[in-house]
Amino acid sequence: MKKRFQTITIYLLSVLFIISIGATTAAAKTYRLKIQSGYPRGDLSMELLKVFSDSAKKRSDGKVIIQVFAAPEIVEGGSPAVYEAVQRGVLDMAHQAGIFASGMAPIGDVEFGLPFAFEVKKGTTFQESAAEIRDFYFNSGLVDLIREEYAKNDLHWLDMHSYGYLYVYSKKEITDCSQIKNLKIASWGLQQVFHKKIAQTAVEIAPEEMYMSLKLGMIDAALYDVSAISGLHWDEVAPYWLADIGGDMIFGHIVIGQKQWNKLPKDIQEIVNAAAKDYWDATVVEYEKMMNETQSKHLKRVDLGDACRQSIKAAGKTTWDDAAKADAASAKAVELIRSRQ
């Protein structure tokens, strides 16, 4: 009897040990995710992805590990290839801007920022305007529209981030409004339509190839944010800032594969969402800081006068109608933005 009791006791202890090991393993499950930016190292938004990764790890007590890559470490940046890598499962997440997704989701052009749609309002700071615009995206129904369109492509739109102001960098010194015509400029999506409207030639070039393209004279100008001077050093080859062509606020996003997202438990989804919001906060602060610290030191600002700016702005706003023609979702998104003006 005693021997039988010992056998049962050993059996029960073994079962409890196995259960405890299983519970410990389940509790300690690690979620590993790979994200690649559409931008090279040195780009401010790419470098700040460390905030996203660190926040997810801290908030999850080490259960969420996000490995960060820059373009072109896995796939070419500034292109649909980044999204295609997520759709194929090569990447879990993509960090880029809607203008690069507009081929599959036309609303991406609107999401990035219609020309002259999101300028800093008079009497407000950059951070105040950024917060107001974010509230508009999330509370007007715009984010719902955006998410629906990306979901059609097996992508979950996670959150937005700031790129600060839109800059147009030029190799050539421009002294008259007429000289902005015939420039060969690197841009994407709806921005290309805008540049063509002001008689410029628009071409697509990956961000990591832009410095050499400017240096070798393959292009005259390029569209980008302040990272072009703070980390990518384009001011060495294109020191003129055409302030009349850009100047409005622009935005990017993080998307995750829909299947990958659906597999994550709700509590892990909430952690990733919170980390993405932390990333938004970091981009707003750091972009404002970098613009204040660098633009006047490294760029020669070109202002061509109010008449020139107003004519450029009028041409830019006609692209809103072009965006609205893309599909029903884009048309609705444009109307939401018009209602905000």
Side-chain angles (χ1 to χ4, degrees):
M1 184 73 179
K2 183 177 180 181
K3 187 174 182 180
R4 183 182 176 189
F5 176 76
Q6 289 176 333
T7 301
I8 293 172
T9 301
I10 292 170
Y11 172 76
L12 289 174
L13 287 173
S14 299
V15 170
L16 288 171
F17 177 75
I18 292 169
I19 291 172
S20 66
I21 289 294
T24 301
T25 302
K29 181 174 180 180
T30 301
Y31 299 88
R32 297 185 180 277
L33 302 167
K34 289 190 296 185
I35 184 170
Q36 186 194 291
S37 174
Y39 316 116
R41 294 199 179 273
D43 175 278
L44 182 57
S45 68
M46 182 274 137
E47 299 292 350
L48 286 172
L49 280 173
K50 187 177 186 300
V51 173
F52 177 49
S53 178
D54 288 349
S55 174
K57 185 177 181 179
K58 182 177 180 181
R59 287 177 176 274
S60 67
D61 294 323
K63 289 189 290 185
V64 178
I65 305 298
I66 299 175
Q67 191 174 7
V68 177
F69 296 89
E73 291 171 0
I74 297 179
V75 294
E76 180 188 24
S79 74
V82 186
Y83 304 110
E84 291 164 3
V86 175
Q87 292 166 327
R88 297 196 313 269
V90 176
L91 294 170
D92 299 297
M93 293 186 281
H95 166 266
Q96 211 164 227
I99 48 175
F100 301 112
S102 58
M104 65 177 180
I107 201 170
D109 273 326
V110 184
E111 169 200 352
F112 174 75
L114 299 173
F116 305 102
F118 297 114
E119 298 174 281
V120 174
K121 292 183 177 179
K122 289 184 178 180
T124 65
T125 65
F126 174 82
Q127 291 191 35
E128 288 169 344
S129 284
E132 187 271 327
I133 293 168
R134 180 183 173 87
D135 286 344
F136 166 74
Y137 267 69
F138 278 87
N139 297 326
S140 66
L142 182 53
V143 162
D144 296 330
L145 277 172
I146 293 169
R147 282 185 171 150
E148 287 174 10
E149 296 307 298
Y150 281 87
K152 293 176 183 177
N153 295 280
D154 298 320
L155 299 170
H156 173 71
W157 188 95
L158 188 66
D159 209 318
M160 64 193 293
H161 54 267
S162 173
Y163 295 130
Y165 299 140
L166 177 66
Y167 289 72
V168 175
Y169 301 89
S170 174
K171 285 178 63 70
K172 298 180 178 181
E173 183 175 10
I174 306 296
T175 57
D176 183 81
C177 195
S178 63
Q179 293 177 313
I180 66 170
K181 298 178 180 180
N182 302 317
L183 290 179
K184 191 173 184 180
I185 185 168
S187 61
W188 305 270
L190 188 69
Q191 292 292 326
Q192 289 194 327
V193 176
F194 166 44
H195 294 305
K196 289 173 183 176
K197 284 178 181 285
I198 56 175
Q200 296 177 337
T201 301
V203 297
E204 289 190 17
I205 297 175
E208 59 265 31
E209 298 173 2
M210 205 77 76
Y211 181 97
M212 288 305 296
S213 297
L214 286 163
K215 183 176 181 178
L216 296 175
M218 296 169 63
I219 52 176
D220 303 308
L223 172 158
Y224 213 74
D225 61 55
V226 73
S227 296
I229 55 174
S230 66
L232 303 177
H233 311 298
W234 294 5
D235 53 297
E236 296 172 355
V237 291
Y240 299 102
W241 169 23
L242 307 185
D244 296 303
I245 300 179
D248 42 335
M249 299 172 75
I250 49 174
F251 306 95
H253 59 224
I254 294 173
V255 298
I256 182 170
Q258 192 66 58
K259 292 178 182 177
Q260 293 94 315
W261 181 250
N262 292 342
K263 287 178 183 177
L264 297 178
K266 291 295 182 185
D267 62 324
I268 299 299
Q269 289 181 350
E270 290 173 3
I271 286 168
V272 175
N273 276 325
K277 174 57 167 59
D278 291 339
Y279 175 66
W280 156 269
D281 292 337
T283 61
V284 171
V285 171
E286 292 303 318
Y287 267 94
E288 181 185 38
K289 178 182 176 182
M290 196 60 69
M291 290 186 296
N292 289 339
E293 288 181 357
T294 62
Q295 64 188 25
S296 62
K297 294 179 182 178
H298 297 277
L299 295 174
K300 300 172 185 176
R301 178 172 176 142
V302 177
D303 291 294
L304 297 173
D306 189 61
C308 183
R309 176 167 176 77
Q310 290 306 316
S311 67
I312 292 171
K313 189 171 183 179
K317 288 203 168 186
T318 65
T319 63
W320 297 21
D321 294 327
D322 296 299
K325 293 174 184 176
D327 60 15
S330 297
K332 189 171 182 180
V334 170
E335 284 310 306
L336 287 174
I337 292 173
R338 287 191 199 280
S339 70
R340 177 182 171 273
Q341 299 302 298

